[in-house]
Amino acid sequence: MSALAEQEHTAGGGPLAGLRVVELAGIGPGPFAAMLLGDLGADVVRVDRPGGPGLGIDPRHDLTNRNKRSVLVDLKSSEGPETVLGLVERADVLLEGYRPGVAERLGVGPEACLARNPRLVYGRMTGWGQEGPLAGAAGHDIGYIAVTGALGLTGAADGPPYAPANLLGDYAGGSLYLVIGILAALRHARDTGAGQVVDAAIVDGTAHLTAMIHGMLAAGSWQDRRGANLLDGGAPFYGTYATADGGHMAVGALEPRFYAEFARLLGLPEEAAAARDDPGRWGELRDAVAARFRRRTRAEWTEVFEGSDACVAPVLSLREAPDHPHLAARSTFTRHDGTVQPAPAPRFSATPAGLRRPPALPGAHTAEVARDWDVPRLDPKGQRS
């Protein structure tokens, strides 16, 4: 990672500077949503419970807890709910990712919180949503994307679907929809003085992501099976191919002019290239493209296509990605406190975001937050001093 410079802590900044967010600790999409708000400048206070939820990794490397502060509160204790409500009174947003009804049983549900702060935006992150037959059931990303049809889009026609880590459900269908819902509700609260509850369900968000595909399905331009369509590997000019050294190249030469550039640089014979316009010959074209790619290494093909409009790119690993020349030039990844990580996104011309804090260790900022947010009961030790 020699191309990555160590980034210094940056103070303030970001378009959400001044926004106060309370995050009730959990795992997965809730913490990522809170991280995104923190990246954009919000003052995020994570309420960790003794023992913590934990991902099984060292908290110092849990990047979803960067740009946050952490306090320890036992919500099951007699003092716990009132302590959190003290934070809620001073907050703009609360995030929780419990199963339906749990926050209410703990005394920090929407009714209790909005009674203390009518302007509060109360964000709820679940997989199945707050109601429905499965609302109270356990689940994970793979199940949520399975029932929405999104998982069924992945994988080869002659193989099983594959899960794209937890990016599609937890983060795309979950975290990002929670954040946009919160920002919309904040606008409403600013204009009317009234807060509200944002119910962000991963199944809802993931289903919403498939809107274009459903339109194509209705129009008859998408077949409801894997590996038979323009964007799911069915087309030989939109997919991945192995190289001589075991690497892979990604091809997205959809438009005719881009395809022509692709065929020329790949060295496809004219007769083989012409099969693009005849789906009946796509198997023949795929074999011809695969044979050409197997003749050179990934690095050699990367050099061939570099700077062209052929829409071809090397398939990189997580460790390789930060050193890609384009990503390095844009500082898409950065090194902060010795850890290589994605930089905050998107970018703002007037209020740039930044990495202000490393991942928050559980309870590390209890006294600091008690002082800054003026919630003395948060730090009984400080009250006695």
Side-chain angles (χ1 to χ4, degrees):
M1 297 304 168
S2 57
L4 293 174
E6 183 76 25
Q7 299 296 304
E8 299 294 331
H9 289 255
T10 57
L16 298 183
L19 187 76
R20 285 183 167 183
V21 177
V22 174
E23 175 199 354
L24 302 185
I27 60 174
F32 187 86
M35 181 207 75
L36 178 51
L37 295 173
D39 283 356
L40 299 183
D43 181 6
V44 179
V45 171
R46 178 177 168 94
V47 179
D48 280 298
R49 56 181 180 267
L55 282 174
I57 64 172
D58 188 329
R60 293 175 299 175
H61 298 298
D62 185 355
L63 296 178
T64 63
N65 284 330
R66 72 187 188 188
N67 282 338
K68 302 178 184 179
R69 297 189 284 181
S70 171
V71 301
L72 280 181
V73 178
D74 183 358
L75 273 169
K76 294 183 178 180
S77 71
S78 58
E79 292 292 314
E82 187 60 33
T83 301
V84 169
L85 290 174
L87 290 168
V88 165
E89 287 183 0
R90 295 155 178 80
D92 301 290
V93 176
L94 179 140
L95 303 183
E96 62 95 352
Y98 301 136
R99 293 198 204 188
V102 172
E104 286 84 350
R105 291 197 296 273
L106 291 172
V108 291
E111 185 175 351
C113 289
L114 287 165
R116 296 290 282 267
N117 181 356
R119 298 178 62 92
L120 182 74
V121 171
Y122 192 106
R124 315 197 82 166
M125 182 77 263
T126 61
W128 303 113
Q130 296 297 315
E131 66 277 322
L134 293 176
H140 283 294
D141 178 292
I142 194 169
Y144 307 139
I145 67 175
V147 302
T148 60
L151 181 59
L153 298 174
T154 69
D158 57 354
Y162 59 83
N166 68 331
L167 302 180
L168 179 55
D170 279 356
Y171 295 149
S175 305
L176 297 186
Y177 277 85
L178 176 59
V179 168
I180 196 169
I182 286 169
L183 297 179
L186 283 169
R187 170 65 183 269
H188 176 265
R190 186 190 69 184
D191 291 345
T192 68
Q196 62 180 303
V197 177
V198 178
D199 172 11
I202 296 172
V203 289
D204 296 346
T206 305
H208 194 260
L209 289 170
T210 66
M212 184 190 76
I213 305 299
H214 274 278
M216 296 174 71
L217 187 65
S221 57
W222 188 276
Q223 298 184 58
D224 199 14
R225 56 191 178 90
R226 287 194 306 282
N229 302 285
L230 197 61
L231 302 177
D232 66 354
F237 41 87
Y238 197 89
T240 59
Y241 290 91
T243 56
D245 57 346
H248 290 84
M249 299 296 289
V251 177
L254 290 174
E255 295 82 356
R257 61 193 177 99
F258 299 153
Y259 177 79
E261 179 79 344
F262 162 68
R264 181 181 68 80
L265 291 174
L266 186 66
L268 270 183
E270 186 175 339
E271 174 62 19
R276 177 193 185 279
D277 299 321
D278 181 2
R281 296 179 59 200
W282 278 4
E284 170 192 333
L285 175 56
R286 181 176 285 103
D287 290 344
V289 171
R292 291 297 302 175
F293 271 118
R294 285 195 297 267
R295 294 188 178 189
R296 299 187 186 185
T297 66
R298 189 186 69 177
E300 289 171 332
W301 283 120
T302 298
E303 185 175 356
V304 167
F305 289 105
E306 187 71 27
S308 74
D309 278 349
C311 300
V312 177
V315 178
L316 303 181
S317 72
L318 290 175
R319 292 192 183 278
E320 291 174 320
D323 286 327
H324 185 276
H326 182 78
L327 304 186
R330 287 183 56 79
S331 298
T332 298
F333 290 86
T334 187
R335 191 194 304 270
H336 191 260
D337 278 7
T339 300
V340 175
Q341 57 195 279
R347 304 181 185 196
F348 300 84
S349 61
T351 55
L355 294 179
R356 306 180 309 282
R357 294 175 177 270
L361 302 182
H365 309 96
T366 300
E368 182 182 310
V369 173
R371 180 194 68 234
D372 293 350
W373 282 42
D374 191 22
V375 185
R377 69 184 304 141
L378 183 62
D379 184 25
K381 182 179 178 180
Q383 284 183 277
R384 292 194 298 269
S385 62

